[in-house]
Amino acid sequence: MSDSNDDIFPDDDVKKDKKKPNLQSLAIQNIMRTEGGRDFIWGQLQSCGTFESMFNINPVQSAYNSGMRDAGVRLDREIKEVTPEYYVQMVKENINW
């Protein structure tokens, strides 16, 4: 007996996508493989305010900051998932302990 949701939400395409390498993941791997690429990504994370507070007394500015930070957080999460070893290396290259 077939589940009624199978017709509404077919997952065959999802399974196929998981089997083949994601082009975006490959692009991230290629970027993070080089020091210049890691430096570029770090700059993007910084310019998005990923590691900053988004609060501002002006609510419009606070909303803008929140949107920028969200873009940075998504990029940060994706890099951690795809190349965690290069992420750690990038942080070490850019943080002065």
Side-chain angles (χ1 to χ4, degrees):
M1 179 169 214
S2 156
D3 186 40
S4 62
N5 288 335
D6 288 346
D7 296 331
I8 299 171
F9 303 108
D11 60 354
D12 290 338
D13 293 334
V14 174
K15 289 177 184 176
K16 289 177 188 173
D17 287 344
K18 288 182 180 181
K19 290 181 182 177
K20 67 180 182 180
N22 182 338
L23 292 178
Q24 190 168 344
S25 295
L26 292 173
I28 290 172
Q29 289 172 1
N30 287 329
I31 292 169
M32 293 297 288
R33 190 171 289 140
T34 66
E35 185 175 352
R38 291 187 300 274
D39 190 48
F40 172 77
I41 294 295
W42 184 258
Q44 294 302 304
L45 293 173
Q46 291 292 95
S47 68
C48 287
T50 306
F51 311 113
E52 307 290 326
S53 171
M54 64 187 146
F55 175 77
N56 189 294
I57 196 163
N58 178 343
V60 174
Q61 183 65 46
S62 189
Y64 174 80
N65 293 349
S66 179
M68 289 291 288
R69 186 173 181 277
D70 183 56
V73 168
R74 281 184 285 145
L75 177 61
D76 186 64
R77 182 181 59 238
E78 194 161 356
I79 292 167
K80 286 177 182 175
E81 289 174 2
V82 174
T83 60
E85 65 284 353
Y86 287 130
Y87 183 86
V88 171
Q89 186 174 351
M90 177 182 69
V91 171
K92 287 180 181 177
E93 292 169 350
N94 289 284
I95 297 291
N96 297 323
W97 297 95

